[in-house]
């Protein structure tokens, strides 16, 4: 007996959108990419690769993040299923953050990119310095370029 494929009318998203297409404007993967690849999202994921952290531990470890941005980033990563938030019913409140299995997978990928950046930092800084040098005219002082009358 032949079975029919599952109905595609039950879910209005196209097969392509179900998988994810970062180049499609309405694709939810863009929002997830924003959460994972934001400055604070990357640092949170990498920090949690090394184990559970409390909010204050993450804030101290990351340096420069405001409480509002840290809370917002943690909320987004939790909603996306990457971070697990466990609140213990004690006084004062005690909350721990850790990676879910999905979060561990994405964190390892983000950490690989961060490792590449740190390893290649001297070359990137050299390229940046060369580009800045090339952009500055060596025989002119600062100011607008001379206007030619045509």
């Amino acid at each position: 007996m032949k079975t029919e494929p599952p109905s595609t009318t039950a879910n209005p998203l196209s097969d392509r959108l179900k998988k994810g297409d970062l180049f499609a404007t309405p694709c939810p993967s863009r929002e997830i990419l924003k959460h994972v690849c934001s400055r604070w999202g990357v640092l949170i994921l990498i920090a949690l690769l090394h184990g559970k952290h409390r909010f204050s531990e993450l804030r101290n470890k990351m340096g420069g993040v405001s409480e509002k941005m840290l809370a917002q980033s943690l909320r987004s990563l939790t909603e996306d299923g990457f971070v697990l938030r466990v609140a213990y019913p004690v006084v004062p409140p005690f909350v721990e953050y850790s990676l879910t299995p999905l979060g561990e997978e994405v964190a390892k990928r983000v950490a690989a990119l961060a490792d590449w950046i740190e390893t290649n930092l001297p070359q990137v800084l050299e390229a940046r310095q060369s580009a800045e040098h090339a952009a500055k005219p060596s025989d002119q002082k600062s100011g607008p370029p001379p206007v030619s009358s045509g």
Side-chain angles (χ1 to χ4, degrees), residues 46-74:
I46 292 172
L48 292 177
L49 260 177
H50 303 289
K52 296 176 183 178
H53 284 71
R54 295 182 68 180
F55 186 90
S56 59
E57 292 170 337
L58 284 170
R59 189 182 67 236
N60 292 338
K61 186 172 198 161
M62 290 169 44
V65 65
S66 69
E67 286 192 21
K68 178 183 176 182
M69 282 306 303
L70 180 56
Q72 187 177 336
S73 298
L74 282 165

Side-chain angles (χ1 to χ4, degrees), residues 101-143:
L102 191 62
E104 191 170 328
E105 186 177 336
V106 74
K108 286 177 182 175
R109 294 173 187 264
V110 168
L113 175 60
D115 287 344
W116 183 92
I117 291 169
E118 288 180 339
T119 299
N120 292 283
L121 185 60
Q123 293 147 290
V124 173
L125 293 176
E126 185 178 311
R128 183 184 290 175
Q129 188 175 29
S130 294
E132 288 173 1
H133 225 339
K136 293 180 185 176
S138 59
D139 59 346
Q140 289 185 343
K141 304 226 186 256
S142 62

Side-chain angles (χ1 to χ4, degrees), residues 2-149:
K2 207 174 191 183
T3 59
E4 292 292 317
S7 171
T8 56
T9 58
N11 190 343
L13 292 176
S14 70
D15 287 339
R16 187 169 145 182
L17 195 56
K18 285 181 203 172
K19 182 180 175 193
D21 180 9
L22 288 173
F23 293 101
T25 303
C27 187
S29 60
R30 284 189 179 191
E31 192 70 16
I32 296 165
L33 182 69
K34 185 170 81 173
H35 298 159
V36 169
C37 294
S38 71
R39 174 186 348 177
W40 307 121
V42 167
L43 294 176
I44 289 167
L45 291 169
I46 292 172
L48 292 177
L49 260 177
H50 303 289
K52 296 176 183 178
H53 284 71
R54 295 182 68 180
F55 186 90
S56 59
E57 292 170 337
L58 284 170
R59 189 182 67 236
N60 292 338
K61 186 172 198 161
M62 290 169 44
V65 65
S66 69
E67 286 192 21
K68 178 183 176 182
M69 282 306 303
L70 180 56
Q72 187 177 336
S73 298
L74 282 165
R75 188 177 317 109
S76 296
L77 292 170
T78 300
E79 289 170 358
D80 291 339
F82 299 130
V83 171
L84 178 65
R85 180 185 187 274
V86 177
Y88 296 95
V90 295
V91 176
F94 182 84
V95 179
E96 281 184 330
Y97 296 92
S98 61
L99 293 175
T100 64
L102 191 62
E104 191 170 328
E105 186 177 336
V106 74
K108 286 177 182 175
R109 294 173 187 264
V110 168
L113 175 60
D115 287 344
W116 183 92
I117 291 169
E118 288 180 339
T119 299
N120 292 283
L121 185 60
Q123 293 147 290
V124 173
L125 293 176
E126 185 178 311
R128 183 184 290 175
Q129 188 175 29
S130 294
E132 288 173 1
H133 225 339
K136 293 180 185 176
S138 59
D139 59 346
Q140 289 185 343
K141 304 226 186 256
S142 62
V147 178
S148 64
S149 56

